[in-house]
Amino acid sequence: TKFGIADAASALLGSIAYSLLYCIIKIFCPYNAKDRHHKLCSDKWMFLRSFKYDAADICRSKGYEMLNLPVNLGLAGAFQAGLKYAYTKGYSYAIQFDADGQHRPEFIEPMLNRIKEGYDIVIGSRFINQKKEKSLRMIGSKMLTVAIKITTGKRVADPTSGMRMFSRKMIKEFAQNLNYGPEPDTVSYLLKNGAEISEVSVNMDERVAGESYLNLTNAAKYMVKMLISILFVQNFRKRG
C-alpha cells in the first residue's frame, strides 16, 4: 500500500501518513501550549482536551478536523477520547504526539514502517543508541526500565517516551477498556498480556511552549506511583 504524506505548515509538527486503506490519526493535547497553536496545521489533525487558549477557534476558522472536549479530562481522558474516535472512524493506526515541540514529525514514517511489521505498539525511543544522562529524572527512567524487565522479561529503553504508535488492535483495546492510560505501567501491563512492542530510535527537541506539570516533587511522586503499579498492582489488574 502506498502512503501519501500530508505536509503540515509547521515544520515542527509536520506530517501524517494516510491513504484510502490506512489512516493515521495524530493525538495530542495542547492545553497550555499557547504559542504552538498557530503552527498546528494539517488535513488530518485531532485536537483533544479542553483548550485553555484560542486553539479551537483557530481550528474552526481553518476547517481542521477537531474534537474539542467540553471539560478538561486530563491526559488520560483526552487520550482515550482520541482512540475512541479513531476506533469509531476505522483508523488503522494512531500516534500519540506532544504538542509542545519536543516530538519530530520526521520519525512518524519509520515508526509506521516498524508497526507494519506486525507490532502492536511502537515507541519513539531516545535511548536505543545513546545512554541516559545522569539526572534524577533519568535515574527514575532507568528504574522503570528495570521494573518492566523484572515483571515482563522485556526491556523498554525509553518507558516514559510520550511518542507512541498504536495498531488497530491496540486502538480497540484502549477504546473499549477504561483502565488504561498512556503511561509506562500500561505498557508493562500490555507486555505481560502478550502485546508485541518495539522501539524506534528518535531524536527529541527541548520544549518550546507550554509547561510540564512534572516539577521535582510531582516527578518523584509519578515515578513512585509507576514503580508501585508495575511491580505490585499489575498482578491484580484486570481488563475492563
Side-chain angles (χ1 to χ4, degrees):
T1 302
K2 293 184 178 179
F3 284 79
I5 301 298
D7 295 324
S10 165
L12 286 175
L13 290 173
S15 58
I16 197 159
Y18 70 96
S19 74
L20 293 176
L21 297 179
Y22 293 98
C23 295
I24 292 180
I25 188 168
K26 189 179 292 188
I27 300 171
F28 53 94
C29 310
Y31 178 65
N32 63 3
K34 182 178 181 180
D35 294 337
R36 297 297 300 160
H37 289 164
H38 293 277
K39 297 181 181 294
L40 301 178
C41 302
S42 173
D43 60 357
K44 281 289 180 182
W45 286 112
M46 271 295 295
F47 291 84
L48 300 177
R49 214 166 170 179
S50 176
F51 293 115
K52 187 176 181 180
Y53 299 111
D54 58 353
D57 291 336
I58 294 172
C59 296
R60 291 189 188 99
S61 68
K62 295 185 177 295
Y64 297 151
E65 194 169 345
M66 176 185 68
L67 176 61
N68 186 20
L69 302 180
V71 295
N72 180 9
L73 297 180
L75 175 60
F79 177 79
Q80 188 171 45
L83 290 188
K84 282 180 177 291
Y85 181 97
Y87 179 67
T88 301
K89 294 292 185 178
Y91 284 91
S92 297
Y93 307 104
I95 186 165
Q96 179 188 351
F97 196 90
D98 284 359
D100 58 8
Q102 292 188 80
H103 295 165
R104 296 185 182 181
E106 62 261 36
F107 295 108
I108 293 176
E109 190 166 11
M111 293 175 68
L112 175 63
N113 292 335
R114 179 65 59 84
I115 204 168
K116 288 171 64 180
E117 295 175 8
Y119 292 100
D120 298 308
I121 300 174
V122 171
I123 299 171
S125 176
R126 296 161 287 183
F127 306 119
I128 293 178
N129 299 320
Q130 66 181 56
K131 295 182 178 180
K132 297 178 181 179
E133 61 186 33
K134 294 181 179 179
S135 67
L136 290 177
R137 187 173 181 179
M138 289 301 102
I139 290 173
S141 177
K142 289 179 181 178
M143 293 172 68
L144 291 178
T145 293
V146 172
I148 292 173
K149 176 70 173 179
I150 290 172
T151 55
T152 70
K154 304 291 180 65
R155 184 177 185 274
V156 178
D158 196 354
T160 61
S161 171
M163 190 175 184
R164 304 183 183 102
M165 185 174 287
F166 303 90
S167 68
R168 176 67 180 175
K169 175 183 174 182
M170 288 294 103
I171 291 173
K172 180 180 179 180
E173 186 78 18
F174 278 88
Q176 295 186 343
N177 294 282
L178 297 176
N179 296 328
Y180 291 147
E183 302 292 357
D185 59 341
T186 295
V187 172
S188 173
Y189 177 75
L190 292 171
L191 271 172
K192 289 183 69 173
N193 283 274
E196 295 293 331
I197 297 178
S198 182
E199 293 181 270
V200 168
S201 181
V202 303
N203 296 322
M204 294 187 188
D205 297 318
E206 293 297 321
R207 182 190 308 273
V208 297
E211 297 177 2
S212 173
Y213 75 95
L214 289 176
N215 54 35
L216 183 61
T217 300
N218 287 337
K221 291 179 179 179
Y222 174 82
M223 289 300 176
V224 171
K225 177 183 176 181
M226 287 297 106
L227 286 170
I228 291 174
S229 179
I230 292 169
L231 293 172
F232 302 107
V233 177
Q234 302 302 322
N235 297 320
F236 306 97
R237 186 173 179 177
K238 295 181 179 180
R239 295 185 179 184

